[in-house]
Amino acid sequence: MLFSQNASKIIFLLLLYYSFSRLLNIVGADPPYPLCSNHSRYADNSSFHHSLNNLFYSLSSNSSVSKFYNTYAGNNLDRVYGLYMCFGNTTIEVCNSCISTASQDILKHCPNRKEAIIWEEHCQLRYSNTNFFSTLDIIGNQAQRNSMNILEPERRRFKDALNITLSRAVKDAVYDPSPDMYAAKKVRYLKSETLYAQVQCTGDLLANDCNTCLQIAINNASSCCNSSLGARIYSKSCYLRYEVYDFDGGAFEEIQMTAKNSKWKIWVTMIFVVSAFLAVTLLGSFVYCLKMKIVSHRGKTKIRWEDIISQEVPLHNIADPNGSEFLYQNFKAGDEQKAMEFPYIDLASIHAATDNFSESNMLGQGGFGPVYKGKLSDGTEIAVKRLSSCSHQGSEEFTNEVLLIMKLQHKNLVRLLGFCVDGEEKLLVYEYMPNGSLDVSLFDSTKCAQLNWSRRLSIINGIAKGMLYLHEDSRLKIIHRDLKASNILLDSNMDPKISDFGMARIVEGSEGEASTCRLVGTYGYMAPEYAMEGLYSVKSDVFSFGVLLLEIITGKRNAGFHDQSKLSHSLLSYAWQLWNEGKAVELMDPSVAESCCPDEFIKCVYLGLMCVQEDACERPTMSAIMLMLEGGTESSTLRQPDRPAFSWGISNEYDQINIDSLSFDRLTGSSDIKANE
Ligand SMILES: *[C@@H]1O[C@H](CO)[C@@H](O)[C@H](O)[C@H]1NC(C)=O
Ligand SMILES: *[C@@H]1O[C@H](CO)[C@@H](O)[C@H](O)[C@H]1NC(C)=O
Ligand SMILES: *[C@@H]1O[C@H](CO)[C@@H](O)[C@H](O)[C@H]1NC(C)=O
Ligand SMILES: *[C@@H]1O[C@H](CO)[C@@H](O)[C@H](O)[C@H]1NC(C)=O
Ligand SMILES: *[C@@H]1O[C@H](CO)[C@@H](O)[C@H](O)[C@H]1NC(C)=O
Ligand SMILES: *[C@@H]1O[C@H](CO)[C@@H](O)[C@H](O)[C@H]1NC(C)=O
Ligand SMILES: *[C@@H]1O[C@H](CO)[C@@H](O)[C@H](O)[C@H]1NC(C)=O
């Protein structure tokens, strides 16, 4: 029985690894992509070498006037043919500097080759000792995919949009009489989503060959990047790119999607309604199960866990500074069953996976040490957190994180794949998240366009589900204590995963409150009772959740927030100010204005303000938040939020005035929402 359970678990893990590696093999790194021919080489200072230098000289000088050029240099056997093309709507200055970079890169990556090509971000450069002009060449196409995936309900619509934009663009590029053989189209395929596509052939190609090259590129894109929201195909004779954002400065011709939309809309709406209904039902029963403490599947694993842990480390003492020694003693060697639960990954594999912790693999610097990207020998991509060896504090966080997170399994919590303790080295190995942390996408003026309203809502929902799980999972009550945008990681579907459990604490008893002398957390997310008195509870996490929610919908950081009006010095007080003036919609991140509906937005502002109230008891619990997010509460029955913490003291003047002038009528929810419409 036990055996078959373990066996099925192994099979599951293998499947997981398999699908992981299949998925990730096609993720291209960023350009340049050199391709060097091994056929023949030239010697330094030979006359071929001189021809090549002359060629590069005339190509790069021409690149200051033209975005495509082909020419040759040298005589007879030392003749070398060369060609460059700058992509799409790049300016001539960018084109010129791209070609200079490319001519250096191509010599660096393909030294002494008589034939080579290099693709850069904005251009490609190719030379050869044989004449390749006006000849189609589709060998060695390179694909680069956008790591964001198409949302399943949008797939059909996206594919239709892709078909129509690409086929129209190819037609234009091929048959357009202008010599640049380039075309770019965009189509709005959902109310808030637009697809941008661009195709281009090298200017020496015949129309038929251009068509063939682009058709092959389209096939390449559909095989490499079937589920991606964007792709680039680099070919020797042509170039293709599509994304759901404007990557080329607005030079796209708008086209319309053909009829049959209305039928589609009905279908999409029906599917949406049905799945929303199912989701609500499922969630309802999930919450119910949690309450009844009968999460059957997890229950089994957990009992084993408790068996293991209760013998060695008391739960309340989980942050034992000697814990890593304990982990090492118990889980490194031998015991297979424990190894199943606590996968120990040896130091040599981690060194191999991260290329000896090379600089180029560093993803970032966390509070307790750097994080590296790596690839295990089976192809699984991983993120490795390496704890600074000297810090005693780090050791505590390490044990805490291993013991805690291994007991937790939820789709909105980051998964620990294994750990390693070896001498001074303490390493945590996580699944790799291709879309990085939320703050990177959210606070970047171009990347935030990929986070439309529905994605933001689903991110908020995911975080709420993860927090609900932490707070209300059976007899353990876990307080994260450091919830913030940089601790939310995004997987390839942009589903959020809460990470960084180094500061998390288990609290016992029904009140779930505790205190600490050592404050940990992040300025701007810390609840007042925690920041001032060191008291933490589930409600201090709720406070951080509220701050995070407001950041997600406004696209602004709470810490470091500045408003031109100078009345508000934090996002919270600014939100409170606009809420009271009945102008909460003005908080909306301009980049979701198209995809958002004001009612939903107001609901989120409301929820955010409820979470950041100064009095912890007044803040809702995660389960109440979940219900509100699912639309369970009538707006007419909502209580008004109280003033947020920190809005006083910082912005005294404003609050004083405002509180005095508030009338009860202005505070009733329904009239507030109407005023905003
Ligand atoms: C040329 O040889 C190198 C190493 O020998 C290899 O990595 C590369 O792929 C070869 N290039 C081509 C185009 O075959
Ligand atoms: C090529 O010529 C340069 C300058 O004339 C010289 O410095 C260099 O050593 C030569 N290289 C070879 C391999 O002959
Ligand atoms: C372009 O290259 C040709 C040689 O192929 C050269 O004669 C011409 O002057 C170059 N044009 C510019 C603008 O540099
Ligand atoms: C678009 O769809 C049509 C028929 O559904 C197909 O024949 C055509 O190859 C597709 N074009 C592209 C560019 O995918
Ligand atoms: C692109 O398509 C060509 C022709 O079907 C194929 O030979 C090549 O391997 C494909 N390349 C990629 C990167 O998918
Ligand atoms: C793309 O994915 C869809 C759904 O996952 C599948 O039905 C289709 O066959 C795939 N197309 C290609 C070219 O792989
Ligand atoms: C690039 O796009 C901008 C904005 O549409 C346009 O003004 C400009 O002319 C385009 N440049 C080229 C080289 O096509």
Side-chain angles (χ1 to χ4, degrees), residues 551-619:
E551 289 184 333
I552 293 173
I553 61 175
T554 60
K556 297 187 178 68
R557 284 180 201 276
N558 184 36
F561 175 86
H562 287 294
D563 181 56
Q564 58 281 42
S565 75
K566 295 197 178 64
L567 286 174
S568 304
H569 294 268
S570 81
L571 177 58
L572 302 190
S573 57
Y574 183 56
W576 170 246
Q577 173 189 340
L578 288 181
W579 173 265
N580 282 325
E581 290 169 356
K583 298 193 292 196
V585 271
E586 289 178 18
L587 285 165
M588 192 183 295
D589 185 341
S591 66
V592 298
E594 270 193 357
S595 52
C596 178
C597 83
D599 283 0
E600 284 182 350
F601 184 82
I602 300 282
K603 194 168 92 177
C604 287
V605 175
Y606 170 78
L607 203 50
L609 287 173
M610 292 298 283
C611 294
V612 298
Q613 293 175 102
E614 197 172 349
D615 183 350
C617 304
E618 297 292 322
R619 295 175 207 148

Side-chain angles (χ1 to χ4, degrees), residues 35-38 113:
L35 192 64
C36 320
S37 159
N38 292 334
R113 307 305 164 93

Side-chain angles (χ1 to χ4, degrees), residues 138 141 143 216 220 223:
I138 49 131
N141 285 7
I216 287 168
N220 283 169
S223 62

Side-chain angles (χ1 to χ4, degrees), residues 519-551:
L519 271 190
V520 290
T522 304
Y523 172 73
Y525 292 91
M526 258 194 256
E529 72 278 5
Y530 180 48
M532 293 175 199
E533 296 160 57
L535 280 177
Y536 60 85
S537 67
V538 288
K539 294 297 184 70
S540 41
D541 271 358
V542 167
F543 182 93
S544 311
F545 175 81
V547 175
L548 184 55
L549 190 159
L550 289 171
E551 289 184 333

Side-chain angles (χ1 to χ4, degrees), residues 27-249:
V27 179
D30 287 338
Y33 305 122
L35 192 64
C36 320
S37 159
N38 292 334
H39 280 316
S40 48
R41 302 182 183 230
Y42 62 85
D44 284 343
N45 291 349
S46 61
S47 45
F48 187 91
H49 195 176
H50 288 297
S51 305
L52 193 58
N53 285 340
N54 290 339
L55 176 76
F56 284 160
Y57 178 77
S58 72
L59 289 181
S60 51
S61 57
N62 275 278
S63 72
S64 63
V65 292
S66 155
K67 299 209 293 179
F68 166 80
Y69 194 68
N70 60 343
T71 188
Y72 60 83
N75 294 312
N76 305 327
L77 286 175
D78 298 318
R79 179 164 287 180
V80 54
Y81 300 82
L83 172 155
Y84 71 81
M85 163 168 86
C86 291
F87 302 140
N89 185 33
T90 44
T91 61
I92 200 72
E93 291 78 22
V94 173
C95 180
N96 187 228
S97 80
C98 185
I99 297 302
S100 347
T101 314
S103 35
Q104 286 159 18
D105 284 353
I106 204 170
L107 289 176
K108 192 172 85 192
H109 291 284
C110 305
N112 300 86
R113 307 305 164 93
K114 286 196 169 177
E115 195 171 17
I117 180 167
I118 193 158
W119 290 276
E120 301 272 352
E121 175 90 27
H122 298 293
C123 65
Q124 67 189 53
L125 172 68
R126 180 181 177 193
Y127 69 82
S128 170
N129 58 342
T130 59
N131 185 348
F132 60 88
F133 297 156
S134 304
T135 310
L136 172 67
D137 190 343
I138 49 131
I139 311 287
N141 285 7
Q142 311 279 316
Q144 184 188 9
R145 58 177 286 235
N146 183 325
S147 64
M148 253 167 70
N149 284 343
I150 304 165
L151 298 177
E152 208 41 54
E154 298 174 2
R155 174 182 285 277
R156 252 305 273 285
R157 202 86 190 130
F158 180 88
K159 290 286 173 189
D160 287 348
L162 196 57
N163 183 310
I164 185 168
T165 44
L166 287 178
S167 48
R168 293 280 285 279
V170 169
K171 211 164 140 198
D172 273 18
V174 171
Y175 299 113
D176 197 44
S178 84
D180 54 7
M181 303 201 107
Y182 158 72
K185 309 280 170 189
K186 65 178 175 186
V187 67
R188 178 180 283 214
Y189 67 99
L190 287 172
K191 193 166 147 246
S192 61
E193 298 283 2
T194 303
L195 177 74
Y196 299 82
Q198 144 189 123
V199 301
Q200 191 171 8
C201 292
T202 58
D204 58 326
L205 225 54
L206 296 174
N208 256 346
D209 289 340
C210 175
N211 189 33
T212 310
C213 188
L214 290 172
Q215 295 302 344
I216 287 168
I218 290 171
N219 282 344
N220 283 169
S222 72
S223 62
C224 83
C225 315
N226 193 16
S227 57
S228 297
L229 272 182
R232 291 182 233 186
I233 304 297
Y234 301 90
S235 157
K236 286 175 185 162
S237 303
C238 61
Y239 173 75
L240 173 159
R241 181 175 184 188
Y242 58 84
E243 304 283 356
V244 291
Y245 58 93
D246 178 357
F247 54 88
D248 209 16

